């Protein structure tokens, strides 16, 4: 290739590149068309509601992840604002998520907080590139069995991580390994604090009751539930009610329980300054798997959350690529302020929708309101018992898991069960990355097996129970010595064994083999190679091969591979009837050359 042609090729690639990249266009730009004061007030109410809900969750997620509570608040404020500002969903709320608790805790244990911040930034770059290259739709190809498996596994690990604070155990540092955590909890069982357990249990029970108490016919009479006061009270978020009441109860009685103040020294009343983490490529190379884990989980969680939101609102569906780009920007920025990984959050997004949010403005207002709450109420957070936050997280873990799917497993076949349970146990025992990798391998393996079972070669004539002399009754005009086999499905590398076994199924007096392919959907290169080897084996036995009724994809690949040319002029027929005529001519024209094996 000369320099001129190389230059022309590069120019063509560069000219086509913008068309292959996703255009950066936040959903906010479309949502602001016709935006008025009424919609703003509605979004303000929704943002205030979500901001109140986000306060205890952000602190709880941060503490459970092994970082300070303010780092969760910083993430909810900064990442939440950026995701709503730039995202592809109308109502999604971003911030720290329960799904990241186990991941972040494990990364900090193995690599330290500084490397977590670097991994978060690198994951942000990956997420942005995924959106830029229009890979958002690929996340949808992850089987639902894998998603359910690792979601339930993460919920179990979240619950396990909260037992220390729920029981008030005197454990300086929890390990990251599943069995090590159980062993550590058992070794420190004698430090059980009944006051902490009481607070956590009341918090957990209260959240379950609060979610049902205002439903008619459950706990309260209908006339009370339908009253104005009950409707107002029912709008209060359960976690905030539990946090405020139990914190006040614990403080007034002076209960001997660990609090945010006793463990962390309180929460700053300002946002942190911009600080660049120490970065070098030698360290970055060690963070490949943590980076991939954060990026993969962030993409799955955010797009699943956006799909849930789409089903709850009457608005255009989310743009997955724009959403990934927004998630990428947020995760690239928050580490500079000490934040942890962020993604779409289902609980806060659902709260946003139910509160009446109409645009991404609600998400931006939620971040600003959360900032105001943090600045004003930071001194009060000193008294929040960690056991109460543990109760809130246990409630989150319960709602996060799809436990009914375990009961439904008996209705599904072995492949689905194996993938779901395998992903679940690997998530709990090892980590999310291993679980998803093995889950995908299992899913691919079972898919290949199922597809290979769908491919079939059926003998049309002569039928096994029909003698060759009566073959004309099956296919009129067909001479003796002609076998017809029909191919069904997809001929790919997982199914070529059936083609390789075909010569052994032919009758000894076979002179012509017709392969009828009008139900053959597609062929891959391994399938072509199998047909080539079949042709060579038949040639050595003096048997002519004719293929008939090729569909578009098989015909195209067989022509490009040269297989059609090998078969010759009469080796490819447009229909089964034409193939039978060609077979009759072949038998009549050169019977002496047709020798039986």
């Amino acid at each position: 290739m000369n320099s001129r042609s190389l230059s022309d090729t590069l120019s063509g690639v560069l000219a086509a590149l913008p068309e292959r990249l996703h255009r950066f266009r936040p959903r906010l730009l479309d949502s602001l068309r016709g935006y008025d004061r009424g919609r703003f007030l509605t979004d303000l109410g929704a943002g205030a509601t979500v901001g109140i809900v986000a306060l205890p969750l952000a602190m709880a997620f941060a503490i459970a992840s092994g970082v300070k509570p303010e780092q969760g608040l910083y993430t909810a404020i900064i990442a939440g604002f950026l995701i709503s500002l730039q995202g592809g969903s109308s109502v999604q709320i971003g911030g720290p998520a329960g799904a990241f608790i186990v991941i972040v805790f494990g990364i900090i244990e193995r690599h330290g907080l500084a490397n977590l911040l670097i991994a978060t930034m690198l994951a942000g770059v990956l997420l942005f590139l995924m959106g830029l290259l229009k890979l958002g739709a690929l996340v949808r190809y992850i089987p639902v069995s894998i998603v359910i498996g690792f979601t339930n596994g993460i919920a179990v690990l979240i619950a396990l991580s909260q037992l220390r604070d729920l029981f008030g155990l005197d454990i300086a540092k929890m390990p990251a390994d599943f069995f090590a955590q159980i062993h550590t909890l058992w070794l420190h069982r004698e430090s059980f604090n009944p006051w902490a357990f009481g607070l956590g249990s009341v918090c957990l029970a209260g959240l379950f009751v609060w979610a049902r108490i205002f439903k008619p016919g459950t706990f309260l009479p209908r006339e009370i539930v339908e009253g104005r006061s009950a409707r107002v009270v029912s709008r209060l978020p359960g976690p905030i009610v539990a946090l405020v009441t139990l914190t006040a109860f614990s403080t007034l009685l002076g209960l001997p329980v660990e609090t945010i103040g006793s463990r962390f020294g309180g929460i700053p009343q300002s946002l942190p300054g911009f600080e660049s983490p120490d970065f070098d490529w030698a360290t970055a190379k060690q963070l490949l798997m943590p980076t991939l884990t954060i990026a993969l989980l962030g993409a799955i969680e955010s797009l699943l959350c956006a799909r849930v939101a789409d089903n709850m609102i009457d608005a255009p569906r989310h743009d997955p690529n724009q959403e990934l780009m927004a998630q990428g920007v947020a995760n690239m920025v928050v580490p500079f302020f000490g934040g942890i990984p962020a993604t779409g959050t289902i609980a806060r997004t659902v709260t946003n929708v139910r509160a009446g949010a109409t645009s991404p403005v609600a998400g931006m207002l939620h971040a600003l309101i959360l900032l105001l709450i943090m600045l004003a109420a930071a001194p009060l957070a000193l008294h929040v018992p960690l056991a109460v936050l543990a109760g809130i997280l246990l409630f989150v873990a319960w709602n996060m898991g799809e436990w009914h799917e375990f009961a439904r497993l008996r209705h599904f076949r072995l492949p689905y069960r194996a993938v779901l349970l395998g992903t679940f146990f690997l998530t709990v025992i090892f980590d999310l990355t291993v679980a998803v990798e093995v889950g995908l391998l299992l899913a691919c393996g079972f898919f290949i097996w199922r597809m290979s079972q769908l491919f079939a070669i059926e003998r049309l004539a002569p039928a096994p129970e029909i003698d060759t002399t009566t073959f004309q009754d099956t296919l009129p005009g067909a001479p003796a010595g002609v076998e017809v086999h029909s191919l069904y499905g997809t001929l790919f590398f997982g199914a070529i064994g059936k083609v390789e076994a075909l010569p052994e199924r032919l009758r000894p007096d076979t002179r012509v083999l017709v392969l009828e392919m009008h139900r053959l959907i597609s062929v891959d290169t391994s399938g072509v190679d199998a047909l080539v080897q079949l042709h060579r084996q038949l040639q050595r036995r003096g048997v002519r091969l004719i293929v008939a009724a090729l569909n578009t994809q098989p015909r195209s690949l067989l022509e490009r591979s040269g297989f059609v040319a090998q078969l010759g002029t009469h080796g490819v027929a447009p229909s089964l009837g034409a193939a039978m005529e060609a077979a009759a001519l072949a038998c009549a024209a050169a019977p002496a050359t047709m020798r039986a094996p």
Side-chain angles (χ1 to χ4, degrees):
M1 180 181 292
N2 55 39
S3 59
R4 184 181 183 85
S5 61
L6 179 61
S7 175
D8 293 341
T9 302
L10 290 175
S11 299
V13 171
L14 293 175
L17 191 59
E19 299 179 1
R20 299 178 183 273
L21 301 179
H22 185 268
R23 185 171 61 122
F24 189 89
R25 183 176 177 80
R27 178 60 55 87
L28 179 66
L29 298 178
D30 299 323
S31 299
L32 289 180
R33 294 175 183 172
Y35 198 77
D36 53 22
R37 180 174 178 272
R39 288 183 62 190
F40 174 78
L41 293 177
T42 302
D43 285 339
L44 178 61
T49 302
V50 180
I52 294 172
V53 172
L55 177 67
L57 294 180
M59 292 192 297
F61 291 155
I63 294 172
S65 300
V67 298
K68 296 179 179 179
E70 61 264 27
Q71 291 178 267
L73 293 173
Y74 299 157
T75 304
I77 294 168
I78 299 172
F81 185 87
L82 292 175
I83 289 172
S84 294
L85 175 69
Q86 305 172 86
S89 172
S90 299
V91 294
Q92 176 156 253
I93 300 296
F100 273 119
I101 289 176
V102 180
I103 307 302
V104 172
F105 187 84
I107 294 175
I108 292 176
E109 285 294 302
R110 296 181 180 93
H111 304 282
L113 178 59
N115 287 330
L116 167 68
L117 301 181
I118 295 174
T120 303
M121 285 191 294
L122 295 176
V125 174
L126 285 181
L127 286 168
F128 186 86
L129 291 177
M130 288 172 63
L132 184 65
L133 298 175
K134 300 182 179 180
L135 300 180
L138 294 181
V139 177
R140 299 177 181 175
Y141 296 137
I142 297 178
V144 65
S145 54
I146 293 179
V147 175
I148 294 173
F150 78 68
T151 300
N152 287 2
I154 290 174
V156 169
L157 292 175
I158 292 174
L160 179 64
S161 69
Q162 296 310 298
L163 295 184
R164 174 183 67 165
D165 292 331
L166 178 68
F167 295 138
L169 302 181
D170 186 15
I171 302 175
K173 191 174 184 181
M174 285 288 288
D177 181 69
F178 173 73
F179 294 108
Q181 286 186 0
I182 296 177
H183 181 65
T184 302
L185 291 171
W186 178 253
L187 290 179
H188 293 81
R189 63 189 183 278
E190 294 181 357
S191 61
F192 173 74
N193 186 333
W195 296 108
F197 179 72
L199 283 175
S201 299
V202 170
C203 176
L204 181 60
L207 290 173
F208 277 106
V209 171
W210 190 264
R212 296 165 176 80
I213 192 172
F214 295 104
K215 293 182 179 180
T218 52
F219 295 95
L220 300 175
R222 180 178 294 273
E223 57 271 15
I224 295 179
V225 172
E226 294 178 351
R228 181 177 179 181
S229 299
R231 289 199 302 269
V232 172
V233 174
S234 66
R235 295 175 183 174
L236 296 175
I240 286 294
V241 174
L243 188 73
V244 173
T245 56
L246 293 178
T247 299
F249 179 80
S250 173
T251 303
L252 291 175
L253 296 183
L255 299 182
V257 294
E258 194 170 17
T259 64
I260 289 179
S262 63
R263 182 180 293 183
F264 300 102
I267 297 175
Q269 288 186 272
S270 62
L271 283 175
F274 184 92
E275 185 176 349
S276 177
D278 294 332
F279 179 85
D280 63 84
W281 283 110
T283 302
K285 293 177 182 178
Q286 306 296 322
L287 299 175
L288 175 62
M289 293 311 297
T291 298
L292 292 176
T293 302
I294 294 173
L296 177 63
L297 184 58
I300 294 173
E301 284 289 309
S302 62
L303 297 186
L304 284 178
C305 177
R307 291 177 65 182
V308 170
D310 286 342
N311 296 329
M312 299 179 65
I313 60 174
D314 183 18
R317 298 189 67 83
H318 74 281
D319 181 344
N321 297 309
Q322 182 64 39
E323 190 62 35
L324 288 182
M325 295 172 78
Q327 301 284 340
V329 172
N331 281 285
M332 283 189 281
V333 172
V334 290
F336 290 102
F337 299 91
I340 57 179
T343 185
T345 58
I346 294 180
R348 275 160 279 172
T349 298
V350 171
T351 302
N352 191 39
V353 173
R354 291 176 177 172
T358 67
S359 73
V361 173
M364 298 163 62
L365 290 172
H366 123 270
L368 297 177
I369 291 170
L370 181 58
L371 173 62
L372 294 177
I373 295 174
M374 185 190 76
L375 297 179
L380 301 178
L382 291 171
H383 307 291
V384 174
L386 297 180
V388 173
L389 293 180
I392 293 174
L393 281 185
L394 286 170
F395 183 71
V396 169
W398 174 261
N399 289 327
M400 178 180 177
E402 298 186 50
W403 313 111
H404 61 278
E405 291 295 335
F406 289 126
R408 295 180 59 220
L409 283 178
R410 65 181 184 274
H411 300 300
F412 297 95
R413 294 184 177 180
L414 176 63
Y416 182 87
R417 298 177 190 174
V419 173
L420 193 154
L421 292 176
T423 306
F424 171 76
F425 286 113
L426 287 172
T427 300
V428 172
I429 297 174
F430 293 98
D431 59 49
L432 176 65
T433 306
V434 173
V436 173
E437 289 173 351
V438 175
L440 286 174
L441 288 176
L442 285 174
C444 291
F446 283 123
F447 176 77
I448 292 170
W449 177 78
R450 283 198 305 270
M451 293 298 295
S452 67
Q453 297 302 304
L454 293 176
F455 175 78
I457 301 177
E458 179 182 340
R459 173 181 287 172
L460 297 182
E465 67 278 4
I466 299 177
D467 188 76
T468 307
T469 57
T470 64
F471 180 40
Q472 289 80 358
D473 296 335
T474 306
L475 288 174
V482 176
E483 283 206 26
V484 182
H485 290 255
S486 181
L487 275 61
Y488 296 82
T490 299
L491 179 55
F492 71 115
F493 63 89
I496 60 176
K498 296 179 180 180
V499 175
E500 294 171 346
L502 185 56
E504 306 302 323
R505 298 172 53 188
L506 299 180
R507 298 168 64 95
D509 59 345
T510 301
R511 295 184 177 183
V512 179
L513 172 63
V514 177
L515 295 181
E516 193 274 335
M517 298 185 175
H518 87 280
R519 294 183 182 178
L520 185 68
I521 301 172
S522 65
V523 179
D524 70 355
T525 53
S526 296
V528 173
D529 183 69
L531 292 174
V532 170
Q533 298 303 322
L534 173 65
H535 184 219
R536 290 175 181 173
Q537 284 185 273
L538 295 177
Q539 283 182 320
R540 289 195 292 266
R541 297 172 57 173
V543 179
R544 178 75 177 273
L545 176 63
I546 300 175
V547 297
L550 285 168
N551 286 311
T552 302
Q553 191 276 338
R555 174 180 288 278
S556 174
L557 185 54
L558 292 179
E559 288 177 348
R560 288 183 281 115
S561 67
F563 181 63
V564 170
Q566 294 179 30
L567 293 178
T569 305
H570 302 290
V572 180
S575 65
L576 180 58
M580 298 309 298
E581 293 177 3
L585 291 175
C587 291
T593 61
M594 299 293 183
R595 55 185 179 85

